[in-house]
Amino acid sequence: MPQLLTVRVKRPNGRPIRIWVPVLPVLLVLSPVVVLAVVVAAVACLVYRISLLRALGTGWRIMSGLPGTRLDVEHGRTAVLVNIR
């Protein structure tokens, strides 16, 4: 599971902004929303006849594979760099 999310915004007219976001505290704060999303996903799995255990396992594998991911988005002279550790 990812531990730290690093966001860096390069602005065209100034210094870059860096933000470090610890994933676990944010996940704990947003846990009611996460529980609601899991319930909605479970209902969707039942409606579309998808194995709930297989869907949860796939979601966990995706979350476990996120560390090391880097996302770079540029638009003009502005860039957003996201690094997941």
Side-chain angles (χ1 to χ4, degrees):
M1 186 167 153
Q3 300 296 319
L4 183 67
L5 183 73
T6 307
V7 179
R8 187 170 73 182
V9 179
K10 290 183 181 179
R11 298 179 296 174
N13 58 354
R15 294 177 35 191
I17 298 172
R18 288 188 181 174
I19 301 171
W20 292 274
V21 181
V23 174
L24 187 60
V26 171
L27 190 61
L28 289 175
V29 169
L30 295 177
S31 61
V33 176
V34 172
V35 170
L36 182 63
V38 169
V39 170
V40 169
V43 170
C45 285
L46 291 174
V47 168
Y48 290 107
R49 297 182 182 164
I50 298 172
S51 170
L52 182 60
L53 292 176
R54 182 174 274 189
L56 289 174
T58 302
W60 180 254
R61 282 182 279 184
I62 290 172
M63 286 295 294
S64 297
L66 282 176
T69 302
R70 182 178 170 158
L71 176 68
D72 300 335
V73 178
E74 291 187 35
H75 181 70
R77 293 176 41 201
T78 304
V80 177
L81 311 168
V82 179
N83 208 3
I84 302 173
R85 296 182 195 181

